Amino acid sequence: MRLLYTCKKAQQIISEGLDRELGLAERVHLKLHLSMCRSCTNFKGQMQTLRLAMKKLSK
Ligand SMILES: [Zn+2]
């Protein structure tokens, strides 16, 4: 069993997490990865900012 997410996998989960509730295992793995990976942390911030902007535009 692979313990850690690759960046590709982590970013996929981050994107999916914007549209659906993540499972406990997914959240734990993602948190672990983000604690060690700056670029995915940045990616998550960008996605959330983008998401907020989209929500504002749609209202
Ligand atoms: Zn990463």
Side-chain angles (χ1 to χ4, degrees), residues 40-55:
C40 286
T41 304
N42 288 341
F43 176 83
K44 185 169 184 256
Q46 282 165 15
M47 290 299 282
Q48 283 172 340
T49 306
L50 202 72
R51 184 71 172 198
L52 277 176
M54 299 279 266
K55 263 190 185 166

Side-chain angles (χ1 to χ4, degrees), residues 7 10 33 37 39-40:
C7 287
H33 183 90
C37 182
S39 70
C40 286

Side-chain angles (χ1 to χ4, degrees), residues 21-33:
E21 194 75 24
L22 296 177
L24 179 63
E26 287 170 322
R27 290 204 304 267
V28 169
H29 280 103
L30 188 60
K31 207 171 178 183
L32 257 175
H33 183 90

Side-chain angles (χ1 to χ4, degrees), residues 3-4 8-9 12 18-20 24-25 28 36 47 49 53-57:
L3 186 61
L4 299 175
K8 193 180 168 196
K9 177 75 177 172
Q12 183 198 325
L18 298 172
D19 295 318
R20 67 172 174 89
L24 179 63
V28 169
M36 296 177 299
M47 290 299 282
T49 306
M54 299 279 266
K55 263 190 185 166
K56 274 184 189 165
L57 279 176

